[in-house]
Amino acid sequence: METGHGPEEYSFIQEIIKEEKINVKKVGKNVCKWTMLGLVFGMAACLSFHMLKPWAETRFQQNPDKVEIPTDDELIEDDPVVQEPEQEQELTIDSYRELNILLGEVAVESQKSVVHVSGIKQDQSWITGVDNPSSETTGLIVADNGREILILTNYSSMKEAQLFQVEFADGSVHEGVMKQKDGTIDLAIFSVAKSGLTDDTWNQIKVAMLGRSNTFIPGRTLMAIGSPFGLKKGLGYGIASSVDEIIVRADGEYNIIVTDMPESEHGNGFLFDAYGSVIGVIDARLADEAGTSTLAAIGISDIKSEIELMSNGKNVPYIGIIGTIVTEEMSEAQGIPAGLYVNEVKVDSPAMKAGIQSGDIITSVGKTKVVTMKDYHKAVLAQEAGKTVKITGQRFGAESYVDIKFNVTVGAVQ
C-alpha cells in the first residue's frame, strides 16, 4: 500500500524564523568588558614578568660558563705575527700614509674592548661626580661567561671604593661589581650583568684578544689605549724598546715591556700590537722599577693564569716566597742544591707559618719538580686556597744541606 507524505502532514513543525534585532548597548558593554579584561590580563602578565625576571635570571643562570683564557701555545698557529710576507714590496711615502690609516682602523676596533671604570665610597653620590683620579681606571673586556661581561682592571686605584660604574665604548654606563682581586700583581676582575646591555651596546663592544708578550721583540709597533698619559680615552703609538726587564713578586716573576712613549704619573691602560691583540697591562709604577721614564707594562703572557682564575671567581693561590732559581750550572759551580733559593719569606704568609726560611732551597711543590721560576709559579697556581700542599727542599745544616719537608696550607692573595 502506498503511503504518501504531503506538505500538509508536516505542517505542525513549520515555523517562521525572524531575525533578532542587534542590541547596540549590549554589544558595546560586552566589547568594553572584554577589552578591560584584556588590559587587566596584560598588565598582570607584564607585572608578573618584571617581578619574576630577577628570580628567573638567578634561577636559570646560576652556573655561568667557565672562562678559559687561551695559552700562548694555542695562539701560535693563528698568530699573524709569525707569518712571513708573501713577497717583498717597495715602500713609498704612500705606504707610510696607508700604514697610518690601517693602524687607525685597528685602534678604533681595539677601543671597543676598552672601558672606563669609576668608583666611589658608600657615603658618596654619583650625582656629584667622581673627581678623584684614585677612583678611576681603565678596564679591558677579557671574557663573556654567558651571564656577565668580565673586565680586567688595575686594583689599587679602586680598592678604596665600594660602588662602581663601567662606561663602555658606546658611552653607556652600567653598574659594576668587583668579582675578584690579586694584590700581588695589582689586578682585579669586575663584572657587569649582560641582562642590562642593549643591542646598541652589544654592537659596539667586543671581547679583547689576549696575545703573546713572551715572543714580542723590540722595535715592533705598539698602541697604548685607555689613559696611558693620564687622559681619559687616550691613544698613543710607539715601539717596544725593551722586553727583557723582569719584576719579582711573591711566588713569581713577570716580564715587563718598556716602550718609547712618555710615562705619566696616573697612566693606565693596555698595550696592543699592530694586529689588535693585547700584549701588556700598563702600570705607571713599573717605570720606576724598570729604571725608565717611559711607559711600561706587565706582559700579558705571564698573567693569563691569574686572569682565568679571577674571571671564574676563584682566589689566586698564595704561599709567599720571593726567590731566585739556582740552575744546575750554578749548583755545580757554587756547591748548593739546584732549585728555588728563598731570598725572602713574606710576613704572616703560609710559607712563614709552615716554617720555611730564607736560605732554604725549594725543590718541589706537590708533584711538580722546581727547575725554573715558571715551574714554581705554575705549581703554586695549580693549588687551591685552604688546601694543604707538601713542599720539599733542602736546608744547610751543621756541615751540609739536609732534606726538609713542609705541609703548607695555601692562602689567597689579598
Side-chain angles (χ1 to χ4, degrees), residues 121-359:
K121 294 183 179 180
Q122 198 77 41
D123 57 353
Q124 292 179 305
S125 170
W126 289 113
I127 298 176
T128 58
V130 181
D131 298 322
N132 188 348
S134 66
S135 297
E136 296 180 311
T137 191
T138 304
L140 181 76
I141 302 175
V142 292
D144 172 358
N145 67 10
R147 186 177 67 182
E148 306 159 318
I149 296 297
L150 302 171
I151 297 163
L152 177 69
T153 71
N154 170 270
Y155 169 60
S156 59
S157 296
M158 310 304 294
K159 66 180 180 181
E160 299 298 329
Q162 291 86 41
L163 302 175
F164 307 96
Q165 285 187 346
V166 176
E167 180 182 347
F168 288 98
D170 68 328
S172 63
V173 178
H174 301 268
E175 179 183 359
V177 176
M178 186 181 290
K179 190 178 183 76
Q180 196 54 267
K181 63 184 182 297
D182 183 346
T184 297
I185 53 176
D186 197 25
L187 294 175
I189 290 289
F190 282 78
S191 66
V192 173
K194 290 181 61 177
S195 58
L197 304 185
T198 65
D199 291 340
D200 288 340
T201 298
W202 273 114
N203 292 331
Q204 298 183 60
I205 66 174
K206 60 180 289 188
V207 176
M209 171 63 73
L210 304 186
R212 296 186 299 135
S213 60
N214 283 342
T215 59
F216 208 75
I217 60 176
R220 282 185 177 166
T221 301
L222 292 171
M223 297 180 293
I225 299 178
S227 301
F229 313 115
L231 302 175
K232 184 178 176 182
K233 295 184 178 181
L235 170 64
Y237 295 100
I239 62 169
S241 298
S242 171
V243 295
D244 295 327
E245 299 299 320
I246 292 176
I247 59 168
V248 178
R249 296 287 186 267
D251 301 324
E253 61 182 23
Y254 305 87
N255 276 94
I256 299 301
I257 299 172
V258 180
T259 75
D260 64 343
M261 292 177 274
E263 62 104 2
S264 168
E265 181 182 357
H266 299 295
N268 57 73
F270 303 88
L271 292 181
F272 290 75
D273 65 17
Y275 297 91
S277 295
V278 180
I279 64 160
V281 180
I282 297 170
D283 188 333
R285 294 166 301 178
L286 294 177
D288 291 336
E289 292 193 51
T292 179
S293 60
T294 55
L295 207 63
I298 186 169
I300 199 70
S301 294
D302 293 340
I303 58 175
K304 285 182 177 179
S305 296
E306 285 91 335
I307 293 173
E308 183 172 302
L309 285 168
M310 291 189 292
S311 296
N312 288 299
K314 295 182 178 181
N315 290 308
V316 177
Y318 172 68
I319 290 178
I321 293 175
I322 294 178
T324 303
I325 288 295
V326 178
T327 64
E328 292 291 346
E329 292 75 14
M330 294 170 62
S331 175
E332 293 179 4
Q334 301 183 24
I336 59 177
L340 176 66
Y341 181 89
V342 179
N343 292 320
E344 179 186 347
V345 178
K346 303 296 286 186
V347 177
D348 294 330
S349 66
M352 176 174 282
K353 293 176 182 178
I356 298 175
Q357 302 175 6
S358 298

Side-chain angles (χ1 to χ4, degrees), residues 337-340 342 356 359-366 370 390-396 401-406:
L340 176 66
V342 179
I356 298 175
D360 289 345
I361 308 291
I362 304 301
T363 56
S364 69
V365 177
V370 176
K390 181 176 290 186
I391 293 181
T392 61
Q394 292 190 305
R395 175 181 293 174
F396 191 77
Y401 280 90
V402 296
D403 293 337
I404 50 176
K405 295 181 180 180
F406 303 98

Side-chain angles (χ1 to χ4, degrees), residues 12 14 64 79 83 114 118 131 139 159 176 189 193 218 282 285 322 369 401 408:
F12 68 94
Q14 293 180 358
D79 191 341
Q83 298 177 6
V114 177
S118 302
D131 298 322
K159 66 180 180 181
I189 290 289
I282 297 170
R285 294 166 301 178
I322 294 178
K369 184 178 180 181
Y401 280 90
V408 180

Side-chain angles (χ1 to χ4, degrees), residues 53-63 147:
K53 183 181 178 183
W55 172 85
E57 289 178 346
T58 302
R59 174 67 178 83
F60 296 107
Q61 295 185 1
Q62 286 183 335
N63 298 315
R147 186 177 67 182

